[in-house]
Amino acid sequence: MRVRRTIMRDTVVRAGALTRTYRNGAETVHACDGIDLDVPAGEFLVIRGRSGAGKTTLMSLISGLVRPTSGAVEVTGVDVGAASESRLVELRRTALAGIPQEFGLLDALTAAENVEVPLRLDAVSPKRRDRLVAEALDAVGLGGHGRQRPGELSGGQQQRVAIARALVRPSRVLLADEPTGSLDSATAATITDALHAYARTHGTAVLVTTHDPVVVARADRVLEMHDGRLRAA
Ligand SMILES: Nc1ncnc2c1ncn2[C@@H]1O[C@H](COP(=O)(O)OP(=O)(O)OP(=O)(O)O)[C@@H](O)[C@H]1O
Ligand SMILES: [Mg+2]
């Protein structure tokens, strides 16, 4: 018998029977309902689904912001659902980047200072920080806006600051929750190119939730989420 050789790429996100339920009064909502998912390094994976399908809940389970009701999720071998808060902080510092649906910017900091936060946590030198921040802001078309605070920026500009903050350094896994939701289609195309290039350059698994056909068109794989369940599109 011939043995077929396959090139195995590292699986950097692995979910098994991952479930999260919420109670809304008498009703139980199955926000994530028995999800099995393997994501290899370098994959640009798109998760599509209607509002309320469970996309943000899935992202939050992977990043450890929300704990599973049952099942498990691992990121680079770390059991995120069971990890201590300090282990999660360490994981986010070293391996996991995110672009939250609500951006998660710090209002008191300028755009450039927001983008700089992950580099400060990494103790990157000030000179190198300045260069990396400038490059990241340029890459999202915000070169001239570094000194403005989030409150002085449009929704789409704020979203791009959150994207620059994620792209400013390499990570093993990037979670991008509707990253083009506040952008026009031309800007969305530029951002999608930047996310795609990031996956290819660093071998990062990029998980993107979206309704945007521009993003879907660039996917290595598209999954459909419906009532907390995930299936091939
Ligand atoms: N903290 C919470 N408490 C109670 N119910 C919640 C909570 N978070 C989410 N849900 C419920 O879980 C389901 C999935 O929500 P989720 O935010 O994951 O959907 P989504 O696919 O991200 O939607 P959208 O496209 O609108 O962002 C919804 O029915 C929602 O009401
Ligand atoms: Mg959502």
Side-chain angles (χ1 to χ4, degrees), residues 122-198:
D122 265 357
V124 176
S125 74
K127 199 173 157 197
R128 193 164 141 75
R129 281 203 309 259
D130 286 348
R131 182 171 62 74
L132 292 171
V133 167
E135 283 173 6
L137 285 170
D138 277 345
V140 298
L142 287 180
H145 296 274
R147 290 166 183 273
Q148 287 171 261
R149 291 178 205 284
E152 299 159 350
L153 296 169
S154 73
Q157 289 170 333
Q158 290 177 36
Q159 185 157 43
R160 283 184 281 156
V161 174
I163 293 165
R165 183 186 52 194
L167 299 184
V168 75
R169 64 181 181 137
S171 60
R172 304 282 306 282
V173 176
L174 169 60
L175 304 174
D177 198 0
E178 305 204 34
T180 63
S182 301
L183 306 180
D184 63 85
S185 58
T187 310
T190 307
I191 293 303
T192 305
D193 286 347
L195 292 172
H196 201 266
Y198 182 82

Side-chain angles (χ1 to χ4, degrees), residues 1-134:
M1 203 173 92
R2 280 178 63 192
V3 178
R4 212 173 68 185
R5 290 189 63 187
T6 49
I7 297 169
M8 296 292 288
R9 287 189 289 170
D10 289 354
T11 297
V12 289
V13 176
R14 172 164 286 162
L18 184 62
T19 298
R20 172 70 202 204
T21 56
Y22 290 108
R23 275 211 166 275
N24 281 340
E27 197 195 356
T28 302
V29 178
H30 298 272
C32 284
D33 192 4
I35 288 181
D36 296 311
L37 176 67
D38 274 9
V39 190
E43 183 172 52
F44 192 85
L45 171 67
V46 165
I47 298 171
R48 232 171 23 185
R50 288 205 178 145
S51 182
K55 304 181 298 296
T56 296
T57 304
L58 177 57
M59 293 297 197
S60 301
L61 286 164
I62 296 170
S63 66
L65 286 174
V66 166
R67 302 278 181 174
T69 307
S70 61
V73 56
E74 283 183 7
V75 173
T76 61
V78 175
D79 182 348
V80 168
S84 66
E85 277 305 319
S86 62
R87 188 75 188 88
L88 290 175
V89 167
E90 180 67 7
L91 185 71
R92 291 186 199 114
R93 193 180 69 74
T94 56
L96 190 60
I99 304 166
Q101 189 165 12
E102 309 296 345
F103 314 151
L105 300 176
L106 298 170
D107 292 333
L109 302 185
T110 65
E113 287 164 351
N114 268 282
V115 174
E116 196 181 18
V117 167
L119 302 176
R120 281 185 172 269
L121 297 175
D122 265 357
V124 176
S125 74
K127 199 173 157 197
R128 193 164 141 75
R129 281 203 309 259
D130 286 348
R131 182 171 62 74
L132 292 171
V133 167

